[in-house]
Amino acid sequence: MPAPFHDRLVATLLGSALGDALGMPVEGLSHQNVRTYYKGIKDLAADDKRGDLGRGQWTADTQRARALARALASGAPDSPDGVRQAFLAELPPEGDLRRGGVVGPSSAGAAMAAPLGVQARLRGLADLAGARWASMLLRSIDPHPAAAVAAAAQVAALRTCLGKDPEALSGAQVLGAAVSAARDSERLLGADDRVSARLGLLAGHLDDYPLDLQDLCNGTGSAADEAFPFAVAMVARSPSLVESTLLAAVNVGGDAAAVGACVGALMGALHGTAVFPPDWLRAVEGADAIRAEAAALAEALGGG
């Protein structure tokens, strides 16, 4: 029995924050160093290497996603410019962003895209509309067109997960939605094909091991054609294995917080909150506030 639709909407945002928090301690580390310093991530953990964030805390990816959720719920959910102004007003000052620097073209937009996935599902937005929203909202964070392409492709994958019974959805459908949206977005935004080409390459390798998928992505750094395509491929590889897929994805290292945010959002959209370990849901920072923001977003978009 699929989770109630409203719970899946909430789990999209909550799963994004949870995946971010799982990846946070090993963000920027190589797979070898993840094994050396942490013996592999098996649970929410503090960042013992840098010592700046504790167990269950998340990075700028979730700060931006929460700001976007509040902006979309603020009264003008169908006005991209209005939402963009509200989004910028909701963002914490640059100095308060947790590891918030962005060098484009990045996967930052994909990592904060959970609220846009909810919007696309509830408003019935097609790929080109998703690309326009992503381009407008990302302009002040990462203006490179490829970053907006990655965000629009994540939105399409989220919309697909939210719109299907998980028992009837194959991983190939999730990846196919991302590929199609990436190609449409590249044409609309005048972007090169780096994101769609990477997604298309991965489509033939969904039985590969995570480290092999990482190699096919040229690593899992923050680039728009690295962290994001890897995350979608990991979900497409095992869409029903939530906990093991999340842990395998962040343990390869690289931009693990962005990878975790993308994987967690997709898994939450597909399955609802019950698939995440209860201890994780209790321990993730601001869980009650995120639930409330997700509920307010759903209500503002007509899905309350």
Side-chain angles (χ1 to χ4, degrees), residues 24-60:
M24 172 273 294
V26 295
E27 183 180 12
L29 300 184
S30 67
H31 174 70
Q32 180 178 355
N33 282 338
V34 172
R35 305 299 302 176
T36 298
Y37 290 116
Y38 290 92
K39 311 304 180 188
I41 291 294
K42 305 175 184 67
D43 194 356
L44 292 168
D47 185 348
D48 294 333
K49 185 173 187 292
R50 282 160 289 217
D52 59 343
L53 294 173
R55 181 177 186 264
Q57 289 192 285
W58 24 254
T59 74

PDB file of all heavy atoms in Angstrom, residues 24-60:
ATOM      1  N   MET A  24      26.782  15.010   5.162  1.00  0.00           N
ATOM      2  CA  MET A  24      27.524  16.156   5.695  1.00  0.00           C
ATOM      3  C   MET A  24      28.915  15.813   6.238  1.00  0.00           C
ATOM      4  O   MET A  24      29.900  16.474   5.894  1.00  0.00           O
ATOM      5  CB  MET A  24      26.680  16.859   6.765  1.00  0.00           C
ATOM      6  CG  MET A  24      27.376  17.953   7.542  1.00  0.00           C
ATOM      7  SD  MET A  24      28.302  17.346   9.004  1.00  0.00           S
ATOM      8  CE  MET A  24      26.986  16.758  10.057  1.00  0.00           C
ATOM      9  N   PRO A  25      29.095  14.774   7.069  1.00  0.00           N
ATOM     10  CA  PRO A  25      30.417  14.557   7.661  1.00  0.00           C
ATOM     11  C   PRO A  25      31.505  14.244   6.645  1.00  0.00           C
ATOM     12  O   PRO A  25      32.679  14.533   6.882  1.00  0.00           O
ATOM     13  CB  PRO A  25      30.195  13.359   8.599  1.00  0.00           C
ATOM     14  CG  PRO A  25      28.730  13.264   8.790  1.00  0.00           C
ATOM     15  CD  PRO A  25      28.109  13.807   7.554  1.00  0.00           C
ATOM     16  N   VAL A  26      31.105  13.620   5.519  1.00  0.00           N
ATOM     17  CA  VAL A  26      32.113  13.165   4.558  1.00  0.00           C
ATOM     18  C   VAL A  26      32.128  14.012   3.295  1.00  0.00           C
ATOM     19  O   VAL A  26      32.775  13.655   2.304  1.00  0.00           O
ATOM     20  CB  VAL A  26      31.894  11.679   4.212  1.00  0.00           C
ATOM     21  CG1 VAL A  26      32.124  10.836   5.451  1.00  0.00           C
ATOM     22  CG2 VAL A  26      30.508  11.409   3.653  1.00  0.00           C
ATOM     23  N   GLU A  27      31.433  15.135   3.319  1.00  0.00           N
ATOM     24  CA  GLU A  27      31.436  16.034   2.167  1.00  0.00           C
ATOM     25  C   GLU A  27      32.856  16.472   1.848  1.00  0.00           C
ATOM     26  O   GLU A  27      33.603  16.925   2.722  1.00  0.00           O
ATOM     27  CB  GLU A  27      30.566  17.254   2.458  1.00  0.00           C
ATOM     28  CG  GLU A  27      30.443  18.216   1.289  1.00  0.00           C
ATOM     29  CD  GLU A  27      29.580  19.411   1.621  1.00  0.00           C
ATOM     30  OE1 GLU A  27      29.274  19.614   2.811  1.00  0.00           O
ATOM     31  OE2 GLU A  27      29.223  20.136   0.691  1.00  0.00           O
ATOM     32  N   GLY A  28      33.237  16.318   0.602  1.00  0.00           N
ATOM     33  CA  GLY A  28      34.564  16.730   0.162  1.00  0.00           C
ATOM     34  C   GLY A  28      35.641  15.684   0.337  1.00  0.00           C
ATOM     35  O   GLY A  28      36.775  15.892  -0.114  1.00  0.00           O
ATOM     36  N   LEU A  29      35.333  14.562   0.964  1.00  0.00           N
ATOM     37  CA  LEU A  29      36.325  13.514   1.160  1.00  0.00           C
ATOM     38  C   LEU A  29      36.287  12.514   0.003  1.00  0.00           C
ATOM     39  O   LEU A  29      35.248  12.293  -0.609  1.00  0.00           O
ATOM     40  CB  LEU A  29      36.070  12.760   2.471  1.00  0.00           C
ATOM     41  CG  LEU A  29      36.104  13.558   3.776  1.00  0.00           C
ATOM     42  CD1 LEU A  29      35.932  12.606   4.963  1.00  0.00           C
ATOM     43  CD2 LEU A  29      37.399  14.339   3.912  1.00  0.00           C
ATOM     44  N   SER A  30      37.411  11.896  -0.261  1.00  0.00           N
ATOM     45  CA  SER A  30      37.442  10.792  -1.211  1.00  0.00           C
ATOM     46  C   SER A  30      36.839   9.551  -0.562  1.00  0.00           C
ATOM     47  O   SER A  30      36.720   9.468   0.670  1.00  0.00           O
ATOM     48  CB  SER A  30      38.882  10.490  -1.622  1.00  0.00           C
ATOM     49  OG  SER A  30      39.608   9.985  -0.501  1.00  0.00           O
ATOM     50  N   HIS A  31      36.475   8.566  -1.381  1.00  0.00           N
ATOM     51  CA  HIS A  31      35.959   7.321  -0.822  1.00  0.00           C
ATOM     52  C   HIS A  31      36.982   6.687   0.122  1.00  0.00           C
ATOM     53  O   HIS A  31      36.626   6.176   1.186  1.00  0.00           O
ATOM     54  CB  HIS A  31      35.613   6.345  -1.953  1.00  0.00           C
ATOM     55  CG  HIS A  31      35.218   4.990  -1.465  1.00  0.00           C
ATOM     56  ND1 HIS A  31      34.037   4.751  -0.795  1.00  0.00           N
ATOM     57  CD2 HIS A  31      35.866   3.782  -1.539  1.00  0.00           C
ATOM     58  CE1 HIS A  31      33.955   3.468  -0.488  1.00  0.00           C
ATOM     59  NE2 HIS A  31      35.050   2.865  -0.920  1.00  0.00           N
ATOM     60  N   GLN A  32      38.243   6.745  -0.271  1.00  0.00           N
ATOM     61  CA  GLN A  32      39.290   6.167   0.585  1.00  0.00           C
ATOM     62  C   GLN A  32      39.325   6.851   1.939  1.00  0.00           C
ATOM     63  O   GLN A  32      39.437   6.197   2.985  1.00  0.00           O
ATOM     64  CB  GLN A  32      40.652   6.292  -0.103  1.00  0.00           C
ATOM     65  CG  GLN A  32      41.799   5.700   0.723  1.00  0.00           C
ATOM     66  CD  GLN A  32      43.130   5.793   0.005  1.00  0.00           C
ATOM     67  OE1 GLN A  32      43.209   6.218  -1.152  1.00  0.00           O
ATOM     68  NE2 GLN A  32      44.196   5.390   0.678  1.00  0.00           N
ATOM     69  N   ASN A  33      39.190   8.174   1.951  1.00  0.00           N
ATOM     70  CA  ASN A  33      39.222   8.892   3.230  1.00  0.00           C
ATOM     71  C   ASN A  33      37.931   8.694   4.028  1.00  0.00           C
ATOM     72  O   ASN A  33      37.964   8.743   5.267  1.00  0.00           O
ATOM     73  CB  ASN A  33      39.489  10.374   2.997  1.00  0.00           C
ATOM     74  CG  ASN A  33      40.948  10.656   2.724  1.00  0.00           C
ATOM     75  OD1 ASN A  33      41.819   9.873   3.087  1.00  0.00           O
ATOM     76  ND2 ASN A  33      41.225  11.768   2.059  1.00  0.00           N
ATOM     77  N   VAL A  34      36.809   8.481   3.346  1.00  0.00           N
ATOM     78  CA  VAL A  34      35.581   8.124   4.070  1.00  0.00           C
ATOM     79  C   VAL A  34      35.822   6.839   4.852  1.00  0.00           C
ATOM     80  O   VAL A  34      35.442   6.717   6.026  1.00  0.00           O
ATOM     81  CB  VAL A  34      34.397   7.947   3.092  1.00  0.00           C
ATOM     82  CG1 VAL A  34      33.177   7.383   3.830  1.00  0.00           C
ATOM     83  CG2 VAL A  34      34.046   9.272   2.429  1.00  0.00           C
ATOM     84  N   ARG A  35      36.471   5.862   4.225  1.00  0.00           N
ATOM     85  CA  ARG A  35      36.770   4.602   4.902  1.00  0.00           C
ATOM     86  C   ARG A  35      37.800   4.801   6.006  1.00  0.00           C
ATOM     87  O   ARG A  35      37.707   4.216   7.087  1.00  0.00           O
ATOM     88  CB  ARG A  35      37.297   3.575   3.897  1.00  0.00           C
ATOM     89  CG  ARG A  35      36.406   3.311   2.708  1.00  0.00           C
ATOM     90  CD  ARG A  35      35.052   2.768   3.074  1.00  0.00           C
ATOM     91  NE  ARG A  35      35.114   1.532   3.834  1.00  0.00           N
ATOM     92  CZ  ARG A  35      34.071   0.897   4.338  1.00  0.00           C
ATOM     93  NH1 ARG A  35      32.850   1.418   4.160  1.00  0.00           N
ATOM     94  NH2 ARG A  35      34.199  -0.218   5.000  1.00  0.00           N
ATOM     95  N   THR A  36      38.782   5.665   5.755  1.00  0.00           N
ATOM     96  CA  THR A  36      39.859   5.862   6.733  1.00  0.00           C
ATOM     97  C   THR A  36      39.355   6.586   7.973  1.00  0.00           C
ATOM     98  O   THR A  36      39.615   6.157   9.109  1.00  0.00           O
ATOM     99  CB  THR A  36      41.008   6.671   6.101  1.00  0.00           C
ATOM    100  OG1 THR A  36      41.544   5.928   5.000  1.00  0.00           O
ATOM    101  CG2 THR A  36      42.108   6.955   7.126  1.00  0.00           C
ATOM    102  N   TYR A  37      38.642   7.691   7.777  1.00  0.00           N
ATOM    103  CA  TYR A  37      38.241   8.535   8.907  1.00  0.00           C
ATOM    104  C   TYR A  37      36.979   8.037   9.616  1.00  0.00           C
ATOM    105  O   TYR A  37      36.818   8.237  10.814  1.00  0.00           O
ATOM    106  CB  TYR A  37      38.010   9.970   8.445  1.00  0.00           C
ATOM    107  CG  TYR A  37      39.269  10.703   8.065  1.00  0.00           C
ATOM    108  CD1 TYR A  37      39.477  11.133   6.751  1.00  0.00           C
ATOM    109  CD2 TYR A  37      40.261  10.957   8.999  1.00  0.00           C
ATOM    110  CE1 TYR A  37      40.638  11.804   6.387  1.00  0.00           C
ATOM    111  CE2 TYR A  37      41.425  11.623   8.647  1.00  0.00           C
ATOM    112  CZ  TYR A  37      41.613  12.043   7.345  1.00  0.00           C
ATOM    113  OH  TYR A  37      42.761  12.696   6.993  1.00  0.00           O
ATOM    114  N   TYR A  38      36.075   7.404   8.866  1.00  0.00           N
ATOM    115  CA  TYR A  38      34.771   7.055   9.437  1.00  0.00           C
ATOM    116  C   TYR A  38      34.456   5.565   9.395  1.00  0.00           C
ATOM    117  O   TYR A  38      33.424   5.154   9.910  1.00  0.00           O
ATOM    118  CB  TYR A  38      33.652   7.817   8.708  1.00  0.00           C
ATOM    119  CG  TYR A  38      33.660   9.288   9.012  1.00  0.00           C
ATOM    120  CD1 TYR A  38      34.358  10.177   8.202  1.00  0.00           C
ATOM    121  CD2 TYR A  38      32.980   9.799  10.110  1.00  0.00           C
ATOM    122  CE1 TYR A  38      34.375  11.536   8.481  1.00  0.00           C
ATOM    123  CE2 TYR A  38      32.995  11.150  10.393  1.00  0.00           C
ATOM    124  CZ  TYR A  38      33.693  12.017   9.574  1.00  0.00           C
ATOM    125  OH  TYR A  38      33.711  13.365   9.852  1.00  0.00           O
ATOM    126  N   LYS A  39      35.346   4.766   8.778  1.00  0.00           N
ATOM    127  CA  LYS A  39      35.050   3.338   8.569  1.00  0.00           C
ATOM    128  C   LYS A  39      33.732   3.159   7.821  1.00  0.00           C
ATOM    129  O   LYS A  39      33.037   2.151   7.974  1.00  0.00           O
ATOM    130  CB  LYS A  39      34.993   2.582   9.902  1.00  0.00           C
ATOM    131  CG  LYS A  39      36.168   2.818  10.829  1.00  0.00           C
ATOM    132  CD  LYS A  39      37.492   2.496  10.177  1.00  0.00           C
ATOM    133  CE  LYS A  39      38.648   2.751  11.143  1.00  0.00           C
ATOM    134  NZ  LYS A  39      39.965   2.625  10.479  1.00  0.00           N
ATOM    135  N   GLY A  40      33.399   4.146   7.024  1.00  0.00           N
ATOM    136  CA  GLY A  40      32.133   4.142   6.296  1.00  0.00           C
ATOM    137  C   GLY A  40      31.017   4.750   7.124  1.00  0.00           C
ATOM    138  O   GLY A  40      30.949   4.559   8.334  1.00  0.00           O
ATOM    139  N   ILE A  41      30.165   5.536   6.464  1.00  0.00           N
ATOM    140  CA  ILE A  41      29.005   6.119   7.146  1.00  0.00           C
ATOM    141  C   ILE A  41      27.895   5.064   7.223  1.00  0.00           C
ATOM    142  O   ILE A  41      27.461   4.526   6.211  1.00  0.00           O
ATOM    143  CB  ILE A  41      28.511   7.362   6.382  1.00  0.00           C
ATOM    144  CG1 ILE A  41      29.527   8.497   6.493  1.00  0.00           C
ATOM    145  CG2 ILE A  41      27.148   7.819   6.907  1.00  0.00           C
ATOM    146  CD1 ILE A  41      29.701   9.053   7.884  1.00  0.00           C
ATOM    147  N   LYS A  42      27.463   4.769   8.440  1.00  0.00           N
ATOM    148  CA  LYS A  42      26.403   3.780   8.657  1.00  0.00           C
ATOM    149  C   LYS A  42      25.199   4.385   9.370  1.00  0.00           C
ATOM    150  O   LYS A  42      24.181   3.727   9.561  1.00  0.00           O
ATOM    151  CB  LYS A  42      26.933   2.604   9.472  1.00  0.00           C
ATOM    152  CG  LYS A  42      28.166   1.927   8.879  1.00  0.00           C
ATOM    153  CD  LYS A  42      28.706   0.860   9.808  1.00  0.00           C
ATOM    154  CE  LYS A  42      29.990   0.249   9.265  1.00  0.00           C
ATOM    155  NZ  LYS A  42      31.113   1.222   9.261  1.00  0.00           N
ATOM    156  N   ASP A  43      25.345   5.652   9.786  1.00  0.00           N
ATOM    157  CA  ASP A  43      24.313   6.310  10.580  1.00  0.00           C
ATOM    158  C   ASP A  43      24.567   7.807  10.486  1.00  0.00           C
ATOM    159  O   ASP A  43      25.600   8.251   9.958  1.00  0.00           O
ATOM    160  CB  ASP A  43      24.428   5.835  12.033  1.00  0.00           C
ATOM    161  CG  ASP A  43      23.219   6.183  12.887  1.00  0.00           C
ATOM    162  OD1 ASP A  43      22.303   6.870  12.382  1.00  0.00           O
ATOM    163  OD2 ASP A  43      23.192   5.785  14.063  1.00  0.00           O
ATOM    164  N   LEU A  44      23.642   8.609  10.973  1.00  0.00           N
ATOM    165  CA  LEU A  44      23.922  10.033  11.126  1.00  0.00           C
ATOM    166  C   LEU A  44      25.117  10.203  12.042  1.00  0.00           C
ATOM    167  O   LEU A  44      25.240   9.525  13.074  1.00  0.00           O
ATOM    168  CB  LEU A  44      22.708  10.752  11.708  1.00  0.00           C
ATOM    169  CG  LEU A  44      21.471  10.855  10.811  1.00  0.00           C
ATOM    170  CD1 LEU A  44      20.279  11.325  11.628  1.00  0.00           C
ATOM    171  CD2 LEU A  44      21.718  11.777   9.638  1.00  0.00           C
ATOM    172  N   ALA A  45      26.018  11.103  11.674  1.00  0.00           N
ATOM    173  CA  ALA A  45      27.251  11.266  12.438  1.00  0.00           C
ATOM    174  C   ALA A  45      27.657  12.732  12.459  1.00  0.00           C
ATOM    175  O   ALA A  45      27.286  13.513  11.572  1.00  0.00           O
ATOM    176  CB  ALA A  45      28.381  10.429  11.831  1.00  0.00           C
ATOM    177  N   ALA A  46      28.429  13.102  13.480  1.00  0.00           N
ATOM    178  CA  ALA A  46      29.017  14.434  13.544  1.00  0.00           C
ATOM    179  C   ALA A  46      30.190  14.518  12.580  1.00  0.00           C
ATOM    180  O   ALA A  46      30.759  13.497  12.169  1.00  0.00           O
ATOM    181  CB  ALA A  46      29.476  14.742  14.965  1.00  0.00           C
ATOM    182  N   ASP A  47      30.547  15.730  12.217  1.00  0.00           N
ATOM    183  CA  ASP A  47      31.714  15.955  11.366  1.00  0.00           C
ATOM    184  C   ASP A  47      32.951  15.996  12.260  1.00  0.00           C
ATOM    185  O   ASP A  47      33.350  17.050  12.748  1.00  0.00           O
ATOM    186  CB  ASP A  47      31.556  17.263  10.591  1.00  0.00           C
ATOM    187  CG  ASP A  47      32.693  17.493   9.607  1.00  0.00           C
ATOM    188  OD1 ASP A  47      33.705  16.767   9.678  1.00  0.00           O
ATOM    189  OD2 ASP A  47      32.572  18.402   8.775  1.00  0.00           O
ATOM    190  N   ASP A  48      33.543  14.852  12.495  1.00  0.00           N
ATOM    191  CA  ASP A  48      34.703  14.775  13.383  1.00  0.00           C
ATOM    192  C   ASP A  48      35.948  15.366  12.751  1.00  0.00           C
ATOM    193  O   ASP A  48      36.863  15.796  13.461  1.00  0.00           O
ATOM    194  CB  ASP A  48      34.970  13.320  13.770  1.00  0.00           C
ATOM    195  CG  ASP A  48      33.863  12.733  14.624  1.00  0.00           C
ATOM    196  OD1 ASP A  48      33.193  13.511  15.334  1.00  0.00           O
ATOM    197  OD2 ASP A  48      33.656  11.507  14.575  1.00  0.00           O
ATOM    198  N   LYS A  49      36.016  15.408  11.436  1.00  0.00           N
ATOM    199  CA  LYS A  49      37.213  15.898  10.760  1.00  0.00           C
ATOM    200  C   LYS A  49      37.322  17.411  10.869  1.00  0.00           C
ATOM    201  O   LYS A  49      38.367  17.951  11.199  1.00  0.00           O
ATOM    202  CB  LYS A  49      37.213  15.469   9.296  1.00  0.00           C
ATOM    203  CG  LYS A  49      38.493  15.843   8.539  1.00  0.00           C
ATOM    204  CD  LYS A  49      38.485  15.235   7.148  1.00  0.00           C
ATOM    205  CE  LYS A  49      39.821  15.460   6.462  1.00  0.00           C
ATOM    206  NZ  LYS A  49      40.077  16.865   6.151  1.00  0.00           N
ATOM    207  N   ARG A  50      36.208  18.121  10.592  1.00  0.00           N
ATOM    208  CA  ARG A  50      36.236  19.582  10.647  1.00  0.00           C
ATOM    209  C   ARG A  50      35.699  20.122  11.968  1.00  0.00           C
ATOM    210  O   ARG A  50      36.026  21.237  12.365  1.00  0.00           O
ATOM    211  CB  ARG A  50      35.419  20.158   9.483  1.00  0.00           C
ATOM    212  CG  ARG A  50      36.163  20.120   8.155  1.00  0.00           C
ATOM    213  CD  ARG A  50      35.234  20.220   6.966  1.00  0.00           C
ATOM    214  NE  ARG A  50      34.455  19.009   6.796  1.00  0.00           N
ATOM    215  CZ  ARG A  50      34.118  18.474   5.627  1.00  0.00           C
ATOM    216  NH1 ARG A  50      34.495  19.061   4.515  1.00  0.00           N
ATOM    217  NH2 ARG A  50      33.414  17.366   5.562  1.00  0.00           N
ATOM    218  N   GLY A  51      34.822  19.366  12.615  1.00  0.00           N
ATOM    219  CA  GLY A  51      34.330  19.755  13.930  1.00  0.00           C
ATOM    220  C   GLY A  51      33.360  20.909  13.936  1.00  0.00           C
ATOM    221  O   GLY A  51      33.117  21.500  14.987  1.00  0.00           O
ATOM    222  N   ASP A  52      32.763  21.232  12.769  1.00  0.00           N
ATOM    223  CA  ASP A  52      31.877  22.405  12.737  1.00  0.00           C
ATOM    224  C   ASP A  52      30.397  22.066  12.838  1.00  0.00           C
ATOM    225  O   ASP A  52      29.591  22.917  13.232  1.00  0.00           O
ATOM    226  CB  ASP A  52      32.135  23.246  11.480  1.00  0.00           C
ATOM    227  CG  ASP A  52      31.929  22.465  10.180  1.00  0.00           C
ATOM    228  OD1 ASP A  52      31.899  21.222  10.231  1.00  0.00           O
ATOM    229  OD2 ASP A  52      31.815  23.101   9.116  1.00  0.00           O
ATOM    230  N   LEU A  53      29.997  20.847  12.495  1.00  0.00           N
ATOM    231  CA  LEU A  53      28.587  20.464  12.523  1.00  0.00           C
ATOM    232  C   LEU A  53      28.422  19.139  13.256  1.00  0.00           C
ATOM    233  O   LEU A  53      29.274  18.253  13.170  1.00  0.00           O
ATOM    234  CB  LEU A  53      28.029  20.345  11.106  1.00  0.00           C
ATOM    235  CG  LEU A  53      27.957  21.652  10.300  1.00  0.00           C
ATOM    236  CD1 LEU A  53      27.546  21.377   8.856  1.00  0.00           C
ATOM    237  CD2 LEU A  53      26.994  22.641  10.936  1.00  0.00           C
ATOM    238  N   GLY A  54      27.302  19.018  13.975  1.00  0.00           N
ATOM    239  CA  GLY A  54      27.065  17.841  14.790  1.00  0.00           C
ATOM    240  C   GLY A  54      26.152  16.834  14.113  1.00  0.00           C
ATOM    241  O   GLY A  54      25.654  17.044  13.000  1.00  0.00           O
ATOM    242  N   ARG A  55      25.901  15.740  14.815  1.00  0.00           N
ATOM    243  CA  ARG A  55      25.063  14.658  14.294  1.00  0.00           C
ATOM    244  C   ARG A  55      23.665  15.177  13.942  1.00  0.00           C
ATOM    245  O   ARG A  55      23.012  15.837  14.740  1.00  0.00           O
ATOM    246  CB  ARG A  55      24.942  13.543  15.337  1.00  0.00           C
ATOM    247  CG  ARG A  55      24.107  12.344  14.883  1.00  0.00           C
ATOM    248  CD  ARG A  55      24.106  11.250  15.936  1.00  0.00           C
ATOM    249  NE  ARG A  55      23.431  10.050  15.441  1.00  0.00           N
ATOM    250  CZ  ARG A  55      22.155   9.748  15.661  1.00  0.00           C
ATOM    251  NH1 ARG A  55      21.400  10.568  16.386  1.00  0.00           N
ATOM    252  NH2 ARG A  55      21.632   8.647  15.178  1.00  0.00           N
ATOM    253  N   GLY A  56      23.238  14.870  12.737  1.00  0.00           N
ATOM    254  CA  GLY A  56      21.907  15.256  12.285  1.00  0.00           C
ATOM    255  C   GLY A  56      21.820  16.644  11.701  1.00  0.00           C
ATOM    256  O   GLY A  56      20.762  17.020  11.173  1.00  0.00           O
ATOM    257  N   GLN A  57      22.897  17.430  11.763  1.00  0.00           N
ATOM    258  CA  GLN A  57      22.866  18.766  11.154  1.00  0.00           C
ATOM    259  C   GLN A  57      23.112  18.657   9.657  1.00  0.00           C
ATOM    260  O   GLN A  57      23.723  17.716   9.167  1.00  0.00           O
ATOM    261  CB  GLN A  57      23.907  19.675  11.810  1.00  0.00           C
ATOM    262  CG  GLN A  57      23.545  20.066  13.234  1.00  0.00           C
ATOM    263  CD  GLN A  57      24.439  21.188  13.750  1.00  0.00           C
ATOM    264  OE1 GLN A  57      25.590  20.960  14.082  1.00  0.00           O
ATOM    265  NE2 GLN A  57      23.888  22.385  13.813  1.00  0.00           N
ATOM    266  N   TRP A  58      22.636  19.664   8.928  1.00  0.00           N
ATOM    267  CA  TRP A  58      22.733  19.657   7.488  1.00  0.00           C
ATOM    268  C   TRP A  58      23.474  20.905   7.019  1.00  0.00           C
ATOM    269  O   TRP A  58      23.869  21.753   7.814  1.00  0.00           O
ATOM    270  CB  TRP A  58      21.351  19.567   6.841  1.00  0.00           C
ATOM    271  CG  TRP A  58      20.193  20.060   7.674  1.00  0.00           C
ATOM    272  CD1 TRP A  58      19.252  19.304   8.309  1.00  0.00           C
ATOM    273  CD2 TRP A  58      19.858  21.435   7.977  1.00  0.00           C
ATOM    274  NE1 TRP A  58      18.347  20.099   8.979  1.00  0.00           N
ATOM    275  CE2 TRP A  58      18.693  21.415   8.792  1.00  0.00           C
ATOM    276  CE3 TRP A  58      20.421  22.664   7.655  1.00  0.00           C
ATOM    277  CZ2 TRP A  58      18.095  22.576   9.276  1.00  0.00           C
ATOM    278  CZ3 TRP A  58      19.825  23.825   8.133  1.00  0.00           C
ATOM    279  CH2 TRP A  58      18.676  23.770   8.932  1.00  0.00           C
ATOM    280  N   THR A  59      23.654  21.006   5.702  1.00  0.00           N
ATOM    281  CA  THR A  59      24.483  22.054   5.115  1.00  0.00           C
ATOM    282  C   THR A  59      23.625  23.114   4.425  1.00  0.00           C
ATOM    283  O   THR A  59      22.403  23.146   4.560  1.00  0.00           O
ATOM    284  CB  THR A  59      25.455  21.452   4.087  1.00  0.00           C
ATOM    285  OG1 THR A  59      24.730  21.094   2.899  1.00  0.00           O
ATOM    286  CG2 THR A  59      26.160  20.216   4.636  1.00  0.00           C
ATOM    287  N   ALA A  60      24.286  23.950   3.635  1.00  0.00           N
ATOM    288  CA  ALA A  60      23.596  25.013   2.894  1.00  0.00           C
ATOM    289  C   ALA A  60      22.552  24.466   1.931  1.00  0.00           C
ATOM    290  O   ALA A  60      21.604  25.179   1.579  1.00  0.00           O
ATOM    291  CB  ALA A  60      24.617  25.851   2.122  1.00  0.00           C
TER     292      ALA A  60
END
